[in-house]
Amino acid sequence: MSNRNWIPVRGAEGEHSRQAHADMPAGTYEREMSKEGFFGPAAFFHHRRPPTGWSHFEGPLRPRAFDLAALNAAPESPWAAPMILHNAHLQIRFWRLAGPMPALARNGDGDQLLFVHQGAGDLFCDFGHLVFAAGDYLYLPRGTMWRLAPEATAAILMIECVGGHYTLPDKGMLGPTAVFDPAMLDIPAMDAAFREHQEAAGEHRVEIKKRGQVSVVTYPYNPLDAVGWHGDLAAARINVSALRPVVSHRYHLPPSVHTTFVGERFVVCTFAPRPFETDPGALKVPFFHNNDDYDEVIFYHAGDFFSRDDIKPGMLTFHPSGFTHGPQPGAVEAAIRALDEGRGTTDETAVMIDTFRPLLLAPASRHAEDPEYPWSWARAARG
Ligand SMILES: [Fe+2]
C-alpha cells in the first residue's frame, strides 16, 4: 500500500509525544491526519480542545446517522431491498425478510456478503444447505443461486462487491490464522434438508440481477438440483463469535486490524468485544482522525457502543472523509470508569465498511436519517 516515494518530510514541534496514541501531553486531544488510511505518512496533532467541538456544521459534508430499524419495507426479493449507500464498487442495502423467499436469487453483478443482524433460518444454494443465525456473515460468490428461509422476520445488511470479488486480508506478521482461522469458515452441506428442498414441486423462478437490472428465469423444477460438487469456490458462513480480535494492552490499534473481508476499493471490518488498553499512557478510545482517503460506514449490530452516546443496534453511521471525527465527549471517561469497575472489555459488535471512493446516499436512507446527528458530539459534551 505505502511503498511510494512519499514527499520526505519529518518533523516535530512544540509539546508532543514520541509514540503515537500514547503518553499525550496532559489535557490534550490527539488528532491523526494520514495517507492511505493508517498505512501511509501521518501527522499527529495535540489539540487543546476536542477536534469535534464544532458549534455549527453547514453544507453538504456532514456526519450522518440512520436508524435502519425505521425502514419498514419487507420485500421478498433481495433486489427490492432498500439501498442505503452506494458507489461504483459497492452497494449497501438493508433487507427485512418476513418469510421464506418465494424465488431464488442470483447476482450477476458481483460477490455478495450478507450480515445477519436479526433472525435465523436456512440458506439453500447451489452448494447445499447452511443454517444461519444472528451475527453470521454469509458469503455468496457471484453467480450463486440462493434462497433464504428464515423462521421469522430476518434483518440483513447486504454488502455487494459490484463487479469484483471478496478476498481475505493479508494478515502480514500476524500470520494467516490470526483474527479468524480460515478453517472456521463453514460451507454448505448437501444434507437431508437440501435434498428435501430439491423436491419442491412446481415452477421455480430465479431473479437474476445483472447491470443493476433484474431478469427472471423460470424453470418447471427446482434448479438447485445438483447431486454433488467439488472445487475451491463455495458459499461460506462465519459468525462474529468466531473472531479473535487483535489487541495490545499498551497501544490503541487502528481499526484496520479488524479487517474481515476485502472488496474492490473497500474493506469490511468487524468490531467484536475486546479488552480495553490497560497501560496508563495508552489511548483507550478511537483517536480523532480525518481519514481523508476513505469514507467510513459503521453498522451497529449488538451491545453497548462505548464511543457513541446515542447509537442503538440497527443504526448505521456514515462519516464521509473530509472532516475530523472521533469519540464523543465522555467516551474516555466511560472507558476509564469501566476499567476501574472491573469491566475491562468493550461490549460492542459492529460492522465497519471503509471505502476508497466516495459513497452516495440512496433515497431510502433519507427516511431513516437522524438530522440532529452532527450535533450529537455537542449534546454529549453538555451531558
Ligand atoms: Fe474513523
Side-chain angles (χ1 to χ4, degrees):
M1 282 278 277
S2 52
N3 55 349
R4 300 169 186 249
N5 193 13
W6 296 104
I7 307 293
V9 290
R10 174 167 285 273
E13 285 289 323
E15 270 189 89
H16 63 88
S17 61
R18 292 181 68 188
Q19 166 68 57
H21 314 321
D23 304 324
M24 277 78 73
T28 62
Y29 298 86
E30 183 195 49
R31 172 172 66 99
E32 177 169 347
M33 176 181 168
S34 55
K35 293 282 186 197
E36 300 204 331
F38 303 108
F39 294 95
F44 305 88
F45 302 91
H46 303 284
H47 290 281
R48 288 166 51 207
R49 288 174 285 265
T52 51
W54 49 74
S55 53
H56 291 89
F57 208 122
E58 295 166 66
L61 173 67
R62 57 174 52 208
R64 296 177 185 274
F66 307 95
D67 184 2
L68 301 188
L71 295 174
N72 293 321
E76 292 175 325
S77 166
W79 314 137
M83 188 97 74
I84 309 300
L85 293 160
H86 61 101
N87 65 21
H89 307 285
L90 168 68
Q91 293 184 352
I92 302 171
R93 299 170 191 254
F94 190 70
W95 185 26
R96 193 179 296 283
L97 177 62
M101 287 162 63
L104 293 163
R106 177 181 194 151
N107 193 348
D109 283 333
D111 284 357
Q112 194 84 43
L113 199 57
L114 307 185
F115 178 75
V116 182
H117 173 52
Q118 291 171 336
D122 299 291
L123 162 71
F124 298 98
C125 69
D126 280 310
F127 301 94
H129 167 239
L130 264 178
V131 296
F132 69 85
D136 279 345
Y137 283 106
L138 301 173
Y139 158 66
L140 298 161
R142 182 177 184 160
T144 306
M145 283 190 290
W146 57 276
R147 176 172 177 261
L148 294 183
E151 292 157 5
T153 298
I156 294 165
L157 187 74
M158 299 174 59
I159 312 163
E160 179 179 336
C161 180
V162 181
H165 314 288
Y166 279 113
T167 57
L168 295 184
D170 175 5
K171 294 173 191 165
M173 65 187 195
L174 296 173
T177 54
V179 188
F180 72 86
D181 190 328
M184 296 301 290
L185 290 163
D186 295 309
I187 64 170
M190 290 193 160
D191 56 12
F194 182 66
R195 288 191 294 274
E196 187 183 327
H197 184 264
Q198 287 182 325
E199 298 310 319
E203 290 195 327
H204 287 70
R205 301 165 70 242
V206 186
E207 296 175 345
I208 303 172
K209 184 169 80 69
K210 182 68 184 174
R211 302 185 74 180
Q213 296 177 308
V214 178
S215 304
V216 180
V217 178
T218 303
Y219 292 85
Y221 52 84
N222 186 347
L224 293 187
D225 67 345
V227 296
W229 72 277
H230 66 122
D232 58 2
L233 175 69
R237 173 192 72 196
I238 189 159
N239 191 273
V240 289
S241 61
L243 303 181
R244 297 170 189 272
V246 174
V247 292
S248 162
H249 67 295
R250 297 203 65 207
Y251 179 70
H252 188 89
L253 294 165
S256 38
V257 297
H258 305 300
T259 305
T260 318
F261 300 99
V262 179
E264 309 274 348
R265 315 288 276 169
F266 73 94
V267 294
V268 178
C269 310
T270 312
F271 294 119
R274 59 195 186 280
F276 285 114
E277 296 76 6
T278 50
D279 182 274
L283 196 67
K284 293 174 180 60
V285 293
F287 38 90
F288 295 97
H289 64 120
N290 298 23
N291 208 11
D292 290 298
D293 288 347
Y294 286 87
D295 278 7
E296 297 184 0
V297 175
I298 300 182
F299 175 75
Y300 297 87
H301 168 56
D304 180 24
F305 307 104
F306 76 102
S307 67
R308 285 277 173 273
D309 220 29
D310 49 357
I311 293 293
K312 302 189 300 282
M315 292 185 75
L316 178 141
T317 57
F318 171 38
H319 292 173
S321 63
F323 70 99
T324 302
H325 62 263
Q328 289 182 324
V332 181
E333 292 76 4
I336 292 169
R337 204 165 48 242
L339 278 172
D340 288 347
E341 292 170 1
R343 292 179 289 116
T345 57
T346 67
D347 173 34
E348 62 174 10
T349 304
V351 176
M352 182 172 89
I353 304 159
D354 272 16
T355 71
F356 189 73
R357 293 279 178 226
L359 285 163
L360 300 169
L361 286 171
S365 61
R366 302 275 181 194
H367 302 298
E369 185 167 5
D370 170 9
E372 297 299 314
Y373 181 63
W375 294 276
S376 59
W377 283 265
R379 272 207 307 269
R382 285 196 297 272

